[in-house]
Amino acid sequence: MASRRHGTPPGMPPGGHAGQQRLKRRLGAVDSTAIGLGSMLGAGVFVVFSPAAALAGPLLNLAVAVAGVIAYCNAVASAQLAAKYPASGGTYVYGRRQLGEWPGFIAGWGFVTGKTASCAAMALTFGHYAAPAYATPLAIGAVVVLTGVNLLGITRTALLTRILLAVVLATLVFVAVASLLGPHPEGAPGAAGELAPLAAPTTGGWGVLPAAGLMFFAFAGYARVATLGEEVKDPARTIPRAILAALAGAFVIYLGLAVLLQWHLPPQQLAGSTAPLLDAVEHSRLSAGAPFIQAGAAAACLGALLALIAGVGRTTLAMARERDLPAPLARVGGAHTVPLVAELAVAAVVIILLLTRDVLTVVGFSSFGVLIYYAVANAAAFTLPGRPWHAPRWLNVLGFLGCVVLAVTLPPASMLVMAGVLAAGVAGRFLVLRRRRTQ
């Protein structure tokens, strides 16, 4: 096995080295599932339906289903690997152990860069929902506060995630009820009830694939469970159950919302909206509850941001342990045994992004990086010898091919930018390794 080739010392996390301090196992099944579901029901659920509907038109439900199938393949692969390698870092660790250092690096670099940009997008989306005139200062404040929560320990992260998840679920139930009750009795402009036939997708049937790629952005949150693997109790049992339970819950919610939004809103309004769930309530008999939707969206952004910062920090920790990132980022410290330097570094980069550029257009960028990440996960899972009945190898093949197809059919700008970032990372690592060999 690859782990034996690399000689991981007994009792150390895969990829770890002697003298490195381990994180403590504090998360049970409920907390792990809540972190995964809270990540998947983040800001994406409040914004992703519109760009996906613009691409897929009346085939939006099919796009959700395609994204869900690929996400299931990835979840099964991640569950298998996380049970075998219950360490921080997720697919970065799995790729290194099963495929080699380079596939692991590509997975880790794609995750860290894509999800760091996502952190900035989540924070800024929160700012726009809470107080648009002060969006950037509020976003920076959210990053600072939530990083502080994470530094208090993973149990505090899980507790706050569960609270925010409860608020988000209540918000989504309210949206569903408002949609089912029908349009505003006074016939609000554009309200449902006078629906025109659904327009054909602007890009034809092929619009389903890029739409599914965007929808995958919303499903990808279960990766957070795997990246926290070193802090989960009884990981061989807990991680697979938490991943699959979180994915099942998210799929039901996303598919249900897609059906309701298409039924309730005219297709042109759904495709062009910047806040489709808010529009659904404002054009319903429960329009007075619109502020509740804004509050729920803000809570969703905070919940996703909290889990994202934790997940990116732990992948950064794992990469630093292997010297694929600067070694000081591997420091574990504080009274609550957290990846102190990595989390502070992630927060600093996110704040720089918030101050220097517009990050509201990174959904496709993040999706490309995460799809590459899961392509590596499927390839790594394919090499595992012992397999449960529900995880045949053909599922890994389907997951790998699905990730590649969705990645290359994303909007070209997103694909090219992330490909450039991946190429820069590969070139940087190549130069560093070459210099180490000559010293």
Side-chain angles (χ1 to χ4, degrees):
M1 293 299 295
S3 58
R4 288 194 292 269
R5 288 200 308 268
H6 288 268
T8 301
M12 288 301 300
H17 299 289
Q20 292 177 341
Q21 187 176 1
R22 296 190 63 179
L23 303 177
K24 294 184 179 179
R25 300 194 181 279
R26 295 188 171 102
L27 295 177
V30 173
D31 285 336
S32 300
T33 303
I35 287 174
L37 188 56
S39 300
M40 283 185 274
L41 296 180
V45 74
F46 291 90
V47 298
V48 76
F49 287 106
S50 291
L55 290 167
L59 302 179
L60 176 61
N61 296 341
L62 179 58
V64 175
V66 170
V69 169
I70 303 304
Y72 175 76
C73 296
N74 299 340
V76 170
S78 297
Q80 286 180 270
L81 291 160
K84 183 175 179 62
Y85 301 113
S88 291
T91 299
Y92 169 71
V93 171
Y94 314 151
R96 285 182 65 93
R97 306 309 348 162
Q98 294 296 131
L99 302 174
E101 294 183 1
W102 276 108
F105 173 81
I106 290 171
W109 183 247
F111 182 86
V112 167
T113 54
K115 288 304 184 181
T116 299
S118 291
C119 287
M122 294 290 181
L124 198 55
T125 302
F126 161 75
H128 279 295
Y129 267 100
Y134 303 96
T136 299
L138 279 175
I140 293 173
V143 172
V144 172
V145 170
L146 295 182
T147 299
V149 171
N150 278 331
L151 294 179
L152 291 176
I154 194 64
T155 54
R156 272 68 168 189
T157 300
L159 175 61
L160 183 54
T161 298
R162 287 163 65 178
I163 294 170
L164 294 173
L165 178 60
V167 174
V168 173
L169 290 175
T171 304
L172 298 181
V173 169
F174 188 88
V175 172
V177 172
S179 299
L180 288 171
L181 288 178
H184 194 284
E186 298 179 1
E194 298 179 359
L195 292 180
L198 284 172
T202 55
T203 55
W206 288 106
V208 169
L209 292 177
L214 293 180
M215 289 301 308
F216 187 84
F217 169 80
F219 280 114
Y222 54 81
R224 241 65 75 228
V225 182
T227 57
L228 302 176
E230 198 172 318
E231 294 162 277
V232 175
K233 300 174 184 176
D234 191 10
R237 288 169 53 87
T238 301
I239 294 176
R241 292 181 179 184
I243 288 176
L244 295 175
L247 176 61
F251 178 75
V252 170
I253 291 170
Y254 274 101
L255 187 59
L257 285 173
V259 171
L260 286 173
L261 289 173
Q262 289 185 102
W263 178 79
H264 184 60
L265 293 175
Q268 295 80 6
Q269 183 178 5
L270 176 58
S273 174
T274 57
L277 272 62
L278 182 59
D279 281 356
V281 172
E282 288 181 337
H283 293 81
S284 76
R285 298 173 184 271
L286 300 179
S287 57
F292 177 59
I293 303 304
Q294 291 177 284
C301 295
L302 292 177
L305 179 60
L306 181 68
L308 270 174
I309 292 172
V312 176
R314 278 137 181 92
T315 302
T316 301
L317 166 73
M319 295 184 73
R321 282 173 169 171
E322 298 289 355
R323 299 179 67 197
D324 280 336
L325 288 177
L329 294 171
R331 179 186 170 191
V332 174
H336 303 282
T337 319
V338 295
L340 182 67
V341 179
E343 295 235 0
L344 291 175
V346 170
V349 173
V350 173
I351 290 171
I352 291 172
L353 287 174
L354 288 168
L355 291 172
T356 57
R357 62 186 61 210
D358 177 11
V359 291
L360 288 177
T361 59
V362 300
V363 171
F365 174 91
S366 177
S367 291
F368 187 90
V370 175
L371 284 164
I372 297 302
Y373 175 88
Y374 281 116
V376 175
N378 280 287
F382 182 85
T383 65
L384 292 175
R387 316 183 66 84
W389 65 269
H390 63 274
R393 277 193 169 84
W394 66 262
L395 205 63
N396 303 140
V397 175
L398 177 61
F400 178 85
L401 294 176
C403 287
V404 172
V405 169
L406 293 186
V408 300
T409 55
L410 284 167
S414 300
M415 181 176 62
L416 291 174
V417 169
M418 190 60 196
V421 171
L422 288 173
V426 168
R429 184 175 190 268
F430 176 81
L431 292 175
V432 169
L433 292 178
R434 185 176 180 180
R435 187 176 67 178
R436 287 176 185 168
R437 284 195 293 267
T438 59
Q439 289 177 345

